Amino acid sequence: MAQHQDHHEVDAHTGVSTTGHEWDGIRELNTPLPRWWLGIFYATIVWSVGYWVVYPAWPLITGATKGVIGYASRIEIAKDLALLQQHRATQSSGLAEASLEQIKADPSLFRIAMAQGKAAFGDNCAACHGVGGGGSKGYPNLNDDDWLWGGTLAEIHQTLQNGVRVAGNADSRISQMPAFGKDGVLKPAEIRAVANHVRELAGLPTEQGADLVKGRELFATNCAACHGDAGKGNKELGAPNLSDAISLYGMDMASLTETITNSRAGVMPAWGQRLDPTTVKALTIYVHSLGGGQ
Amino acid sequence: MALQETDLGDLPLFAPTKKVYPQSVSGPYRRAKWLILGLCLGVYYLLPFLRWERGPNLPNQAVLADLANARFYFFFIEIWPQEVYYFTGLLIMAAFVLFLMNAVAGRVWCGYLCPQTVWTDLFLAVERFFEGDRRERIKLDEGPWTVSKAWRKSAKHFVWLMIAWWTGGAWVLYFADAPTLVRDLATFQASTTAYAFIAILTFTTYALAGIMREQVCNYMCPWPRIQAALTDDEALNVTYRYDRGDPRVSVKQAERLRKEGQPAGDCVDCRQCVAVCPTGIDIRDGAQLDCIQCGLCIDACDNVMEKISRPKGLIGYDTDDNVKRRIAGETPVYNPLRLRTMIYAALILVVGGAMVWQLATRRTVELSVLHDRSPLFVRLSDGSIRNAYTIRILNKRPDERPVALTVHGLPGIRIEAVGVAATADLRPVVSVAPDSSREVRVLVTLPPDVHPDKTQTITFTAADLFAGEMVTATDHFIAP
């Protein structure tokens, strides 16, 4: 138990007086702190008063005192941001002047384009195409080697700039597959036959009892104009290659029936209307580098 | 224990500092201190000017912390930021060396090697040069201001500031090419940072070594507290052998007592040990926190013992165990090879050995692989499965190196690097600039006829085409 005594004693062993505090028989010696230590403590108090005056400090009802030098962290942030924008503008000027091929060939421009492209992709494209451009059903995978509209730098740039099926944009990519079922061109049985033929083209097993001969005939009449006799597709028209291992909407019977009956009409915005030309360039470089670029 | 009651009023919470006026002394410990002081300061002030030829693209300074380029050079060793664990190792070693020193000979670090001690010693020598020894300094401080006093004081402070300034100046030389920086500093073209650091270190050196001195040890330094927990009964400490010294009587009285066959100690209470102590303590009070174990009281006492024809060593480096032994009438012994010291020594060897081994097997090319998370894999039009990785290749050599990439672990597996041409044998060759790293996106493709389990381990190899140096890294290949 701590005890406090009003009288103080001198410890005979050390010759030092005690503070009068005692804990279970152990007495505390009084070892005074040096005076300069106290001086520093007072100095910090004086310093804090000065700080109150110079910097925003005292909370008021709707804010705080402004401080005589007018410092505010928001002003500092605004300065930093302005500096950043200026810095970015200098970097982007290189991208604006160079062609896509030049950017790709120049390591420093390429690095800037990749960084800008990655950021822009995350902001604008990732919602549909996925963070890494992996896509999903109806949204093309940008990492693979299969392109609806071509995978060269110029072709990617054109698609990005003008979008797909953007109303009122004459340069927009437009593929027009008829809705064979909805428009009454093909009957359900015929659609089934065509779907089975498409699976045959892709090397997938067909349904039991499927009329493959009829399917081939119907495909040649209705589909081959765009997709080709062997279903190899046509990039001019945005007609996908049906014979490869990749498909945008699925190659199972249900998906194929749906596609042939109602057609598909995916839309991508014309990014040239929304983003500045440098950003579109950077995006082109980035998408091209994902692994599918031709 | 007897306790006397005192008045409440005479107990201050804060007290003015008692100025310590250490007296000069000569003897083996003082000589050792001068020698170590010269050595330490010589190394500190001159090391930045030592050259070390490293080749065309690298700095030629033997010891350099190149913060701008994030490289540390120490003679033949070059350390990259990702290798800072060397510093961790050095710090661990330093801690164990301190522990070992402490177990063998108490706070010898404090008394001989600590920068605070070394610079304070130097500053005291300057003070003595201008103001004289202990008595003269006390007289000067107590006396009135005269021309002589003003001249002596200002000359002392001027020389102190010059030493402090050059101490800060030497510090910044470790962070840039020394001769260039000296020229830039002299022509006022050096960076503000350099001047600011010189100013800061000038101030701290002047304040700590000139003015605060022993108070740094007593109030600021944590080491006296830590060492109290590390010391033991078998560690050497500066010890007053009170079994030989007490009772303290004058020389004449001692002669008389000895003739009468009565006990008389060797200590004549001349207080020389107190006069020479740089922290102003009385070693005869026993082991205490303020004692930095510098041994100057040993020199002082031995000189007195010689004059009064008594054996030396009334104060000496001794262990608590020996004090007990002598009281019990046994022969004192000292055994530095104890479990504690051997464990410390073994730990130093283990850490040091690990660092040397790490340094010896250090590679000049490094490879790190990061698998793409989205998408995990891609199916290509011909049915192949492809995984993408981000690879970083580090080239620690001062010349550009072509590094060929290969991958193993699955049949028919192929590697290509985006934007990098492959050699005839289909290995992409990445050119990495001198002393830098390069990041490349790498695509690994598995042919359609191979059907692996979901995840397979594959091995990437980066081979330097010039030196033949080879590094590998493993990662996973993910399939549907």
Side-chain angles (χ1 to χ4, degrees):
Chain A
M1 237 205 78
Q3 288 179 349
H4 187 85
Q5 292 164 303
D6 282 341
H7 57 280
H8 295 259
E9 301 142 340
V10 171
D11 175 35
H13 186 67
T14 55
V16 175
S17 55
T18 71
T19 58
H21 301 161
E22 185 181 329
W23 291 270
D24 296 338
I26 298 168
R27 279 174 290 267
E28 182 189 17
L29 295 183
N30 180 33
T31 315
L33 273 173
R35 212 166 44 189
W36 56 259
W37 186 272
L38 186 70
I40 289 173
F41 175 60
Y42 287 143
T44 58
I45 294 174
V46 173
W47 175 268
S48 72
V49 172
Y51 204 92
W52 282 342
V53 177
V54 173
Y55 284 96
W58 285 88
L60 305 172
I61 292 165
T62 56
T65 53
K66 293 271 183 274
V68 293
I69 60 165
Y71 170 89
S73 49
R74 278 173 187 276
I75 298 173
E76 297 297 303
I77 286 276
K79 273 189 216 158
D80 286 352
L81 280 178
L83 208 68
L84 182 73
Q85 306 256 326
Q86 201 186 338
H87 187 62
R88 278 200 182 143
T90 349
Q91 285 194 327
S92 300
S93 68
L95 292 187
E97 286 152 20
S99 74
L100 289 167
E101 302 295 336
Q102 282 167 337
I103 295 171
K104 193 164 180 287
D106 183 320
S108 70
L109 283 179
F110 183 73
R111 217 174 53 238
I112 296 164
M114 283 295 281
Q116 276 199 17
K118 190 174 185 182
F121 192 91
D123 289 348
N124 301 292
C125 317
C128 294
H129 289 285
V131 179
S136 64
K137 191 171 175 177
Y139 302 99
N141 183 344
L142 306 173
N143 289 268
D144 64 23
D145 60 343
D146 195 19
W147 293 90
L148 288 171
W149 300 100
T152 64
L153 281 171
E155 286 165 337
I156 294 172
H157 187 262
Q158 163 74 7
T159 310
L160 269 167
Q161 180 76 15
N162 300 302
V164 178
R165 289 186 199 84
V166 178
N169 187 334
D171 295 325
S172 189
R173 306 279 200 189
I174 299 170
S175 60
Q176 285 171 322
M177 179 163 126
F180 290 97
K182 207 168 76 183
D183 296 348
V185 181
L186 295 174
K187 294 180 184 66
E190 291 172 324
I191 290 171
R192 190 181 154 208
V194 171
N196 269 299
H197 177 65
V198 170
R199 279 181 68 83
E200 194 186 21
L201 285 175
L204 297 167
T206 52
E207 280 184 313
Q208 209 143 31
D211 193 344
L212 293 172
V213 178
K214 192 178 174 196
R216 190 180 306 126
E217 279 169 16
L218 287 167
F219 188 88
T221 332
N222 297 290
C223 317
C226 295
H227 290 286
D229 280 338
K232 297 281 184 201
N234 183 347
K235 286 189 182 123
E236 299 285 312
L237 305 165
N241 182 346
L242 303 174
S243 66
D244 65 14
I246 304 167
S247 76
L248 188 52
Y249 293 99
M251 292 294 275
D252 55 300
M253 278 305 291
S255 299
L256 283 170
T257 308
E258 159 75 17
T259 305
I260 301 166
T261 308
N262 297 317
S263 178
R264 305 276 191 179
V267 172
M268 180 170 95
W271 293 103
Q273 297 168 359
R274 303 193 184 189
L275 303 173
D276 62 273
T278 315
T279 307
V280 175
K281 267 185 179 174
L283 268 175
T284 307
I285 296 286
Y286 177 73
V287 169
H288 187 266
S289 81
L290 281 174
Q294 289 159 349
Chain B
M1 194 178 295
L3 288 166
Q4 300 158 5
E5 298 202 356
T6 56
D7 205 351
L8 182 72
D10 59 1
L11 286 175
L13 276 173
F14 297 92
T17 308
K18 284 195 191 75
K19 194 169 176 195
V20 181
Y21 293 89
Q23 189 179 301
S24 67
V25 62
S26 60
Y29 292 104
R30 180 64 264 184
R31 275 199 297 282
K33 271 169 73 71
W34 282 132
L35 197 74
I36 292 168
L37 183 148
L39 206 69
C40 290
L41 291 184
V43 168
Y44 175 73
Y45 288 121
L46 300 176
L47 196 57
F49 295 98
L50 195 64
R51 301 279 95 186
W52 193 268
E53 200 62 44
R54 280 196 188 84
N57 295 315
L58 293 173
N60 294 329
Q61 187 160 323
V63 179
L64 178 68
D66 189 355
L67 294 182
N69 300 308
R71 299 281 185 279
F72 293 90
Y73 301 97
F74 191 82
F75 296 96
F76 61 94
I77 303 169
E78 179 192 334
I79 292 176
W80 282 47
Q82 57 267 52
E83 295 170 316
V84 283
Y85 50 75
Y86 283 118
F87 292 106
T88 314
L90 280 178
L91 286 175
I92 293 171
M93 286 243 287
F96 283 133
V97 168
L98 272 181
F99 295 172
L100 180 62
M101 281 165 111
N102 205 77
V104 172
R107 275 164 64 186
V108 281
W109 164 263
C110 298
Y112 297 86
L113 289 157
C114 175
Q116 175 63 21
T117 288
V118 168
W119 264 284
T120 301
D121 243 10
L122 181 66
F123 274 46
L124 266 171
V126 172
E127 187 169 84
R128 247 178 232 129
F129 179 79
F130 287 109
E131 298 182 10
D133 208 354
R134 178 178 159 88
R135 282 168 200 282
E136 291 159 280
R137 292 209 301 278
I138 295 174
K139 227 170 90 186
L140 193 72
D141 276 1
E142 282 170 353
W145 278 95
T146 59
V147 177
S148 161
K149 181 175 176 175
W151 176 83
R152 283 168 197 281
K153 289 270 173 196
S154 30
K156 174 186 82 175
H157 285 285
F158 176 75
V159 174
W160 275 3
L161 277 169
M162 285 298 104
I163 297 172
W165 169 74
W166 188 237
T167 302
W171 176 261
V172 298
L173 296 183
Y174 284 91
F175 296 88
D177 184 60
T180 318
L181 185 58
V182 167
R183 201 179 55 230
D184 287 352
L185 284 168
T187 53
F188 298 102
Q189 282 170 349
S191 69
T192 322
T193 320
Y195 289 112
F197 266 93
I198 293 176
I200 291 168
L201 281 147
T202 304
F203 170 73
T204 51
T205 309
Y206 173 76
L208 298 186
I211 295 159
M212 299 193 61
R213 295 181 186 174
E214 79 286 348
Q215 299 192 52
V216 174
C217 314
N218 293 350
Y219 296 104
M220 291 165 74
C221 180
W223 182 234
R225 279 87 182 159
I226 297 167
Q227 84 93 33
L230 287 168
T231 193
D232 62 16
D233 289 350
E234 290 176 290
L236 287 174
N237 281 312
V238 174
T239 308
Y240 166 68
R241 284 153 178 159
Y242 60 90
D243 54 295
R244 202 190 113 185
D246 286 358
R248 301 166 196 174
V249 287
S250 71
V251 184
K252 278 183 185 166
Q253 217 180 343
E255 268 172 38
R256 186 172 53 79
L257 285 171
R258 284 193 193 101
K259 268 180 200 153
E260 291 169 10
Q262 291 198 43
D266 278 345
C267 176
V268 293
D269 218 0
C270 65
R271 297 185 63 81
Q272 277 300 297
C273 54
V274 180
V276 300
C277 179
T279 62
I281 58 160
D282 189 342
I283 190 63
R284 295 172 301 172
D285 292 343
Q288 50 206 291
L289 184 136
D290 318 33
C291 176
I292 57 167
Q293 313 272 348
C294 64
L296 292 184
C297 52
I298 305 179
D299 281 345
C301 190
D302 280 352
N303 292 344
V304 171
M305 288 298 119
E306 205 169 357
K307 273 180 206 147
I308 64 167
S309 310
R310 300 295 300 171
K312 287 182 179 182
L314 176 55
I315 305 174
Y317 280 98
D318 206 354
T319 69
D320 288 0
D321 262 1
N322 280 344
V323 172
K324 284 176 206 149
R325 277 200 195 94
R326 276 197 312 273
I327 291 169
E330 296 166 25
T331 326
V333 287
Y334 179 63
N335 179 18
L337 295 174
R338 313 189 305 268
L339 186 62
R340 179 190 279 259
T341 55
M342 285 192 285
I343 288 175
Y344 289 151
L347 285 170
I348 292 167
L349 283 178
V350 167
V351 178
M355 283 174 68
V356 169
W357 180 79
Q358 181 71 29
L359 205 63
T361 57
R362 184 177 182 269
R363 294 174 184 281
T364 57
V365 60
E366 269 179 38
L367 175 71
S368 71
V369 181
L370 185 68
H371 193 289
D372 268 16
R373 284 174 196 166
S374 166
L376 283 172
F377 62 87
V378 173
R379 189 179 283 281
L380 298 185
S381 50
D382 64 353
S384 311
I385 307 293
R386 195 173 73 188
N387 281 207
Y389 304 83
T390 302
I391 279 189
R392 185 173 278 279
I393 305 165
L394 228 71
N395 173 15
K396 294 181 182 175
R397 290 180 55 86
D399 36 23
E400 178 152 357
R401 305 164 98 178
V403 178
L405 293 172
T406 45
V407 64
H408 307 278
L410 283 168
I413 200 163
R414 271 190 306 115
I415 185 169
E416 56 188 310
V418 175
V420 174
T423 51
D425 53 354
L426 298 175
R427 293 185 301 170
V429 176
V430 182
S431 182
V432 191
D435 202 46
S436 62
S437 70
R438 180 169 167 192
E439 203 178 81
V440 269
R441 189 173 155 82
V442 160
L443 309 172
V444 175
T445 313
L446 194 64
D449 50 325
V450 183
H451 303 286
D453 288 340
K454 245 178 144 33
T455 302
Q456 292 280 330
T457 303
I458 54 170
T459 307
F460 292 85
T461 306
D464 168 21
L465 290 184
F466 287 169
E469 201 173 337
M470 213 187 239
V471 279
T472 59
T474 57
D475 206 322
H476 299 295
F477 187 90
I478 297 172

